Amino acid sequence: MNKMKWIGWPIFILFVIFLTSSFIFELPLEKTTSHTKKPKLATALTVGNEILQDFPNVTIHFEREKAVDREIYLEQPIFQKEATNDQITSWIKEKQSKHYHEISLESKKISNNFYQFLLTAKRGSDEDVLPFIVDMEKEDIKPLEDFFTLSDSFMDYLLSFLEKNLNIDQQTLKQRIIPLEKRMWIIKDNTFLLYLKDGKNEENFEIPDFVEIPLEDLLPYATKDFIKKNELLSQTLKKEEKKQLEKKRKKEKKKILKKEEGKQKKIAFTFDDGPHPKVTLNILKTLRNYDAKATFFMLGSEAKKYPEIVKQIAAEGHELANHSQNHPDFTKMDSKSIEEQILETQKIIEQISGLETSLIRPPYGSVNDQVLSVANNSGISIILWSVDSLDWKSRNANAVYHTVMNNVKEGSIILMHDLYPSTAEALPRLLNVLKDQGYAFVTVSELLEEINAEGIGPHRGI
Ligand code: ZN
């Protein structure tokens, strides 16, 4: 094996040198020969090759032929890959057969791997172009879908761009210059150039040769690969991602703020034994002033007397609740009578307000197993309280204020009565100070939700 290698290497190297040299010298020679073979009255022929910047495997071939009556000029990129050359050559041949005497080439590196080429064929004032992009690693002419996802949304974007910039309606656009993906295009100086004319649809139809769309506007449709390889798009993406991140952060911040806002200390004021033709109206006015909501545990008998006040309580967003028909002690009654007290009041409130109440506060807060069982069967929650304002005892606004302030905390259910003028008098001061301390005044139902109190109760608040 050693011996074989020893002999094999020099031969191999010689072979490589032979191949390389034949390639280097063959290519331009062949071109020159084929050109001189043409039966033309050539007076002068200039032929040359330049190496494409950064890609020594690709040459730019040019030839200038001065004939008696005209000058023929050709510039063409020559790749190692024959299939790629064939594609380009066939376009050039077609143009030359139609007497385009000048074919010039512009080339530009658009990213590490991609080069853009633009062949322009001229015939007098006529011009035709062949733009194409080449993946320099594989020497393939790249189709549009390598750069952009040819999704409906991309097409829609292009259509609306054309509609806006050409002032042509989509219907006409669709009929005349669709399918867009079959149009010629090129990426030039961070601009996506879409060529619109194809020689078939120009009749009576004023359209420009091409439209220019800023590349960064096409970021949402660019393929990952293209973004990675294109500096502008990668930068735009980074900026975009940064913006998104910033947006997300702001959103999160807002969420946290909102959460903190939502964490306002909620308490529920409750008023029993009404409605009262004066005191209840006074209380309603104060609640309105402080944007406070409360719960009114009303007696069926009083509700029946003052239906307009019941309606007003409901209309102003407060909660209507049951406090029995005429204030008996439920623990001293049989089930049937308790049920009657509850249902009769439910019926009255519903008839007046159209609202079904779901809360009951048994008079005196008197509850036993029997009361619980009746409430359970009626599907109504028993609500007691955690702060007794003792307004029924003191009948003094100052005393009411201090009793409440000394006991209130987040989650409190506060017992008051819309019967005593002193209670109505204490309320504005209470709401004013408690509001400053960050309390929000909600209905019992809302508070129960907040403190996750479930079932029939009795619920007392916190
Ligand atoms: Zn009561």
Side-chain angles (χ1 to χ4, degrees), residues 168-378:
I168 299 172
D169 62 282
Q170 288 215 6
Q171 181 73 14
T172 314
L173 279 171
K174 276 181 182 160
Q175 284 169 359
R176 308 298 286 262
I177 45 181
I178 296 293
L180 284 168
E181 64 268 37
K182 288 190 179 155
R183 298 271 139 205
M184 289 194 289
W185 59 279
I186 197 167
I187 291 158
K188 197 177 179 185
D189 300 329
N190 293 325
T191 303
F192 177 77
L193 260 70
L194 182 68
Y195 290 83
L196 299 175
K197 290 191 171 170
D198 65 357
K200 289 169 207 155
N201 57 6
E202 279 116 83
E203 250 178 85
N204 305 322
F205 187 47
E206 281 294 316
I207 50 166
D209 291 349
F210 57 82
V211 286
E212 293 179 68
I213 305 171
L215 204 52
E216 55 197 277
D217 290 354
L218 298 177
L219 178 70
Y221 318 107
T223 59
K224 273 186 192 160
D225 205 35
F226 182 38
I227 294 172
K228 215 168 84 188
K229 286 168 181 165
N230 183 281
E231 209 177 305
L232 172 85
L233 287 182
S234 335
Q235 279 175 2
T236 315
L237 182 68
K238 270 184 204 155
K239 270 190 220 158
E240 205 55 42
E241 281 172 345
K242 223 176 156 184
K243 251 195 234 163
Q244 291 295 330
L245 206 74
E246 203 53 45
K247 241 187 193 170
K248 217 176 157 188
R249 269 198 208 123
K250 270 188 188 163
K251 225 178 172 182
E252 283 300 315
K253 227 176 171 180
K254 245 187 191 170
K255 240 188 191 171
I256 290 166
L257 275 175
K258 223 177 175 184
K259 233 181 176 179
E260 277 170 2
E261 221 173 75
K263 265 191 181 162
Q264 256 184 324
K265 301 177 282 182
K266 289 181 180 171
I267 51 175
F269 276 94
T270 61
F271 299 95
D272 289 10
D273 299 354
H276 184 279
K278 274 187 186 157
V279 178
T280 304
L281 291 178
N282 249 336
I283 285 172
L284 282 175
K285 195 176 159 195
T286 305
L287 293 172
R288 236 183 356 257
N289 287 342
Y290 287 89
D291 198 22
K293 297 288 175 268
T295 304
F296 291 81
F297 287 96
M298 53 186 67
L299 294 172
S301 59
E302 301 312 292
K304 216 173 180 175
K305 272 191 232 166
Y306 308 108
E308 289 311 310
I309 299 177
V310 175
K311 280 182 197 165
Q312 190 183 333
I313 294 169
E316 293 184 8
H318 304 292
E319 187 164 22
L320 303 181
N322 191 328
H323 193 42
S324 83
Q325 176 63 12
N326 46 27
H327 219 275
D329 186 341
F330 282 2
T331 55
K332 291 174 184 158
M333 295 166 70
D334 58 41
S335 307
K336 202 171 170 256
S337 309
I338 299 169
E339 199 185 345
E340 271 173 18
Q341 282 283 328
I342 295 173
L343 294 184
E344 182 58 21
T345 308
Q346 294 289 85
K347 206 172 113 190
I348 292 167
I349 294 173
E350 198 180 337
Q351 273 172 354
I352 296 169
S353 67
L355 296 173
E356 214 175 294
T357 61
S358 59
L359 311 176
I360 183 159
R361 174 171 289 160
Y364 317 103
S366 293
V367 178
N368 60 14
D369 285 348
Q370 188 181 236
V371 175
L372 271 174
S373 147
V374 175
N376 205 13
N377 290 337
S378 314

Side-chain angles (χ1 to χ4, degrees), residues 7 10 14 44 57 64 72 92-93 150 156 161 183-184 192 234 252 280 295 327 331 365 369 384 387 392 397 401 447:
I7 299 164
L14 271 174
N57 286 342
R64 185 183 299 278
I72 294 165
I92 292 173
K93 286 246 163 76
L150 300 184
D156 286 347
F161 183 91
R183 298 271 139 205
M184 289 194 289
F192 177 77
S234 335
E252 283 300 315
T280 304
T295 304
H327 219 275
T331 55
D369 285 348
L384 300 179
V387 177
W392 51 276
Y401 170 79
L447 186 79

